[in-house]
């Protein structure tokens, strides 16, 4: 279809084995696969002119960062959205990928359909940003905030492939922009996030709670202590959803004031 989103996937088709032609069509995507080889990805980008490129961080000949830098350097007009796939849950690698131009960093394993849904969200987000008149700083501040929160969640130990990760990030963004919303978590915050992701407030609450539990089980104690202090003591246990969101958003607002 003419208006389909063109997606180039530098991955074995078997990784997306649960998705068939009708799935891509239903999601409005025209998908093309290519070998996990950076040189061949560059050729495919030139020939296919994709809207989105899904590729591994580490590939033959040229890695993901090298591909993004090459496309940015040699392409003046159409710049695809890059999504990096990686087997390594590393804040350093994620920071490098995002710094080189990636819009999203995905930890394997992942559910193919969930990933394609996120691709659709990224495309819609970029379209909305392009439709907003650029006045200088609005876009860069929002992108910087999202990247900062992404790095914090990974440092804390929240895995990117679970739903609570996305709900947490959106909740923190809302709380940074509207501090008062933390006092209306059930009535405003959860419904706002649920509406964006086409789900229910109760599912948002449960997913966020699960994400925090996972972080507490797998996270680095020193990192957790640097963000949450007393809440990680045995007598207190893990923070509640609202405590977690409030502490991160308060810290980000304070950093913004200090850097102003």
């Amino acid at each position: 279809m003419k208006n389909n989103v063109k997606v180039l996937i530098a991955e074995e088709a078997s990784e997306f084995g649960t998705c068939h032609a009708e799935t891509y069509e239903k999601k409005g995507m025209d998908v093309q696969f290519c070998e996990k080889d950076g040189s061949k990805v560059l050729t495919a980008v030139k020939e296919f002119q994709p809207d989105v490129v899904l590729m591994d961080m580490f590939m033959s000949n040229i890695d993901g960062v090298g591909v993004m830098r090459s496309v940015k350097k040699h392409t003046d007009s159409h710049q695809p959205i890059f999504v990096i796939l990686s087997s390594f849950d590393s804040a350093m690698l994620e920071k490098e990928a995002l710094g080189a131009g990636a819009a999203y960093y995905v930890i394997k394993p992942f559910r193919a359909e969930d990933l394609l849904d996120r691709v659709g969200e990224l495309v819609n987000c970029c379209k909305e940003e392009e439709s907003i008149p650029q006045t200088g700083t609005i876009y860069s501040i929002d992108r910087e905030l999202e990247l900062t929160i992404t790095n914090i969640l990974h440092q804390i130990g929240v895995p990117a492939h679970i739903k609570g990760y996305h709900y947490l990030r959106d909740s923190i963004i809302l709380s940074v922009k509207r501090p008062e919303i933390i006092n209306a978590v059930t009535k405003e915050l959860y419904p706002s996030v649920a509406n964006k992701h086409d789900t229910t407030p109760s599912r948002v609450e449960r997913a966020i709670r699960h994400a925090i539990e996972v972080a507490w089980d797998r996270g680095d104690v020193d990192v957790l202590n640097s963000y949450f202090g007393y809440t990680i003591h045995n007598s207190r246990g893990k923070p509640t959803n609202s405590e977690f969101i409030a502490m991160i958003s308060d810290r980000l607002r304070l950093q913004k004031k200090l850097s102003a």
Side-chain angles (χ1 to χ4, degrees), residues 37-219:
D37 180 316
S39 297
K40 294 185 178 180
V41 172
L42 287 174
T43 299
V45 167
K46 184 177 181 180
E47 295 177 350
F48 185 50
Q49 292 287 298
D51 300 299
V52 184
V53 177
L54 277 66
M55 61 183 178
D56 205 286
M57 185 68 167
F58 300 104
M59 300 182 289
S60 302
N61 292 313
I62 306 174
D63 65 11
V65 170
V67 168
M68 290 186 287
R69 288 175 176 167
S70 181
V71 171
K72 185 175 182 180
K73 182 178 180 181
H74 297 103
T75 306
D76 296 326
S77 55
H78 178 72
Q79 293 281 341
I81 298 169
F82 287 101
V83 176
I84 292 293
L85 312 175
S86 178
S87 300
F88 301 96
D89 188 358
S90 166
M92 182 182 70
L93 288 177
E94 180 178 9
K95 186 175 182 180
E96 183 180 8
L98 296 175
Y104 199 49
Y105 184 92
V106 181
I107 308 296
K108 297 179 181 180
F110 53 80
R111 288 187 70 251
E113 291 200 30
D114 289 344
L115 177 56
L116 293 176
D117 285 339
R118 181 55 178 157
V119 167
E121 293 172 6
L122 288 170
V123 172
N124 291 333
C125 181
C126 287
K127 287 180 179 178
E128 291 173 2
E129 288 168 350
E130 289 173 357
S131 67
I132 298 173
Q134 297 302 304
T135 57
T137 59
I138 294 178
Y139 172 83
S140 61
I141 289 174
D142 287 346
R143 171 54 70 87
E144 182 179 355
L145 176 62
E146 183 173 1
L147 294 182
T148 299
I149 294 171
T150 295
N151 288 332
I152 290 174
L153 292 179
H154 275 285
Q155 289 172 15
I156 290 171
V158 181
H161 65 277
I162 62 176
K163 290 183 178 180
Y165 170 92
H166 307 292
Y167 300 163
L168 262 176
R169 183 166 59 183
D170 290 340
S171 297
I172 294 169
I173 290 173
L174 277 172
S175 186
V176 170
K177 294 182 176 181
R178 295 178 52 201
E180 72 280 1
I181 202 171
I182 201 64
N183 297 318
V185 171
T186 303
K187 292 184 178 180
E188 291 189 47
L189 189 126
Y190 290 157
S192 296
V193 174
N195 184 58
K196 177 180 178 180
H197 293 273
D198 193 24
T199 186
T200 65
S202 61
R203 288 181 177 177
V204 169
E205 187 277 332
R206 287 197 299 269
I208 290 178
R209 178 156 33 91
H210 172 66
I212 294 173
E213 289 172 353
V214 172
W216 244 247
D217 288 337
R218 60 176 282 182

